[in-house]
Structure formats: C-alpha cells, structure tokens
C-alpha cells in the first residue's frame, strides 16, 4: 500500500461559531502503488483541500495519513519539506513556471534544495522526460516563448524530475483548450504507466477521469 488516509476530518473557521464549515469528515482512502485515481465532485466540496492534505501542504484536524506504512502527519516541518521534495510531485491548474528561467532551468529547480549542483543522472533524466513530452527542442526557451500547453507539459516534467512515488494533479487540464487538454491527459497517463508513478488527479473533466483506474466522488465530506 502506497497511501492510506484514516478517518480524516478537516474544517475551516472556529468550531464554536456558526461560520465553521466542515469540509471533510471521517474520510478514508487507500491507494495502491502505480494506481491512477481521479477525484471528482462539485466546486467547494473539498477536493483541493483533500489533495493539500495528501501533499502535506495542510494538516488534518484529526485522522492519520500513512505513506508506505509510515505516518506522515507527525513529521516535523523539515521532515515534511524533505518528504514533499523527494516523494511527491505537484501539477497545478496553472504551470507556475518562473518567467525569468528557461524550461530547462525550471524543471531542474526541484533538484537544487538538496544538491549544490545538478548531476549527470538528473540531466539525463530531464532530457529523457523532455523528449517524452516533445519539449527537448524548446528546453532553452522561456515560458513566454512557448504555448500554454507546452508550459503545462514542462510543469509535468518538473513534477517528475526527482522521480517521486506519487504525482498530485489539481485540475491539470482546467486552463487548457480541448486539444491541449487531451494531449496532457495522454502524457499523464503514459508517464504514469511507463515510469511506474502513482497518480491522483482532482478534475472536473469526465474525459480525464475516464482514463484513470478508479474515480471517487467527494460529496458530503466523504469519498464515494
């Protein structure tokens, strides 16, 4: 088992006041290594909150999260930062590439927090991934010099550069036109299979969700 969420609850506001909003309650989830999962649900149902909890960008009010049988909810800030950098890759609706950096520099940024220089292995892996997504020729261009679809593909490569076990994608095709959304869905599916990466995707896209192994619906604070 790669990931387990046990009896997770999360809310916003003061629990003693009327403005308190419960988002997740008693939520459970198990994800196997290599599995591709989609999480669907109406806006405001807590999908991004759930993804943030899995990605340790936020903490649950109660419950436990296990990654490879280790409880990560008790990690220190330093341990969480190291965990996120080494074990997780994030893909957001917007690519968040640094405009002053080239595509190559952007995808290599996650390597630097724990290494002074980018090594031969990382360079070869980066080239492999850029060729996979069709961006090798654009590696020296800046985000303003490539298309939105290309920028999002670069963001996927950046998420994979440290060879994470799990990719978390929050509406990765939401800002793309239909053709680019389809292309990115192809890339996510192919890379997940070929590189043996587990994938959890939050999406409103039925087309993207249909490509996953399993689709969960988040409603009334729980997954169904």
């Amino acid at each position: 088992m790669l990931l387990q969420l046990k009896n997770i609850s999360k809310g916003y506001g003061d629990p003693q006041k009327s403005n308190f909003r419960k988002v997740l309650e008693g939520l459970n989830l198990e994800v196997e290594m290599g599995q591709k999962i989609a999480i669907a649900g109406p806006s405001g149902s807590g999908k991004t909150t759930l993804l943030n909890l899995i990605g340790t960008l936020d903490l649950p009010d109660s419950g436990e999260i296990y990654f490879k049988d280790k409880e990560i909810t008790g990690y220190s800030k330093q341990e969480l930062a190291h965990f996120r950098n080494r074990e997780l890759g994030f893909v957001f609706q917007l690519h968040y590439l640094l405009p002053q950096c080239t595509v190559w520099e952007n995808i290599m940024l996650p390597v630097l927090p724990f290494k002074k220089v980018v090594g031969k292995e990382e360079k070869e892996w980066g080239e492999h991934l850029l060729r996979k997504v069709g961006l090798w020729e654009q590696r020296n261009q800046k985000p303003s010099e490539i298309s939105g679809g290309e920028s999002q593909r670069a963001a996927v490569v950046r998420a994979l550069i440290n060879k994470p076990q799990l990719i978390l994608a929050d509406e990765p095709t939401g800002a793309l036109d239909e053709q680019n959304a389809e292309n990115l869905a192809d890339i996510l599916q192919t890379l997940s299979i070929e590189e043996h990466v587990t994938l959890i995707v939050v999406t409103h896209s039925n087309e993207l969700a249909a490509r996953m192994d399993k689709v969960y619906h988040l409603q009334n604070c729980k997954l169904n």
Side-chain angles (χ1 to χ4, degrees):
M1 188 70 63
L2 180 69
L3 178 72
Q4 285 181 293
L5 277 65
K6 295 184 177 181
N7 203 32
I8 295 295
S9 295
K10 180 69 177 179
Y12 296 102
D14 186 339
Q16 306 303 319
K17 296 182 178 179
S18 59
N19 67 346
F20 180 72
R21 186 168 70 91
K22 191 174 291 184
V23 180
L24 307 173
E25 183 178 21
L27 183 144
N28 296 289
L29 175 66
E30 293 187 348
V31 181
E32 300 283 354
M33 188 81 73
Q35 199 171 16
K36 299 186 295 298
I37 300 270
I39 298 174
S43 296
S45 61
K47 301 185 299 299
T48 296
T49 295
L50 176 57
L51 213 63
N52 287 343
L53 294 177
I54 295 171
T56 71
L57 299 173
D58 199 357
L59 295 174
D61 295 334
S62 61
E64 302 164 344
I65 301 175
Y66 292 85
F67 191 86
K68 294 192 284 191
D69 297 323
K70 292 183 179 180
E71 186 183 357
I72 61 175
T73 35
Y75 279 8
S76 67
K77 287 184 178 180
Q78 185 175 1
E79 288 172 329
L80 286 173
H82 188 271
F83 169 75
R84 281 191 295 268
N85 185 264
R86 305 310 301 178
E87 301 284 5
L88 305 179
F90 295 89
V91 181
F92 302 99
Q93 182 171 350
L94 301 177
H95 54 74
Y96 294 117
L97 299 178
L98 296 180
Q100 71 272 29
C101 296
T102 65
V103 168
W104 181 257
E105 290 166 340
N106 267 287
I107 70 166
M108 288 297 164
L109 281 174
V111 175
L112 297 178
F114 299 99
K115 289 193 173 185
K116 291 183 179 180
V117 294
V118 176
K120 179 182 177 183
E121 182 181 347
E122 288 82 15
K123 290 178 181 178
E124 290 177 348
W125 178 239
E127 179 178 348
H128 166 75
L129 291 173
L130 283 175
R131 289 189 185 279
K132 277 276 186 183
V133 303
L135 284 179
W136 179 244
E137 299 302 324
Q138 288 84 7
R139 65 190 181 280
N140 293 320
Q141 294 179 269
K142 293 183 177 180
S144 61
E145 299 169 332
I146 60 178
S147 70
E150 289 171 332
S151 293
Q152 196 68 327
R153 279 184 269 156
V156 171
V157 172
R158 180 182 57 191
L160 286 165
I161 196 63
N162 281 332
K163 298 185 177 179
Q165 294 284 304
L166 174 62
I167 292 290
L168 303 174
D170 191 0
E171 297 286 359
T173 61
L176 301 177
D177 60 47
E178 184 176 353
Q179 185 59 57
N180 277 311
E182 185 175 342
N183 291 342
L184 189 71
D186 286 340
I187 287 168
L188 285 170
Q189 183 180 33
T190 299
L191 288 174
S192 174
I193 294 169
E194 293 184 354
E195 310 301 343
H196 310 292
V197 178
T198 306
L199 180 62
I200 299 178
V201 178
V202 162
T203 185
H204 282 104
S205 168
N206 294 329
E207 291 78 10
L208 179 57
R211 294 170 179 262
M212 303 296 108
D213 300 322
K214 191 166 186 177
V215 181
Y216 289 96
H217 294 272
L218 183 56
Q219 288 182 307
N220 300 319
C221 304
K222 297 183 186 294
L223 287 174
N224 301 297

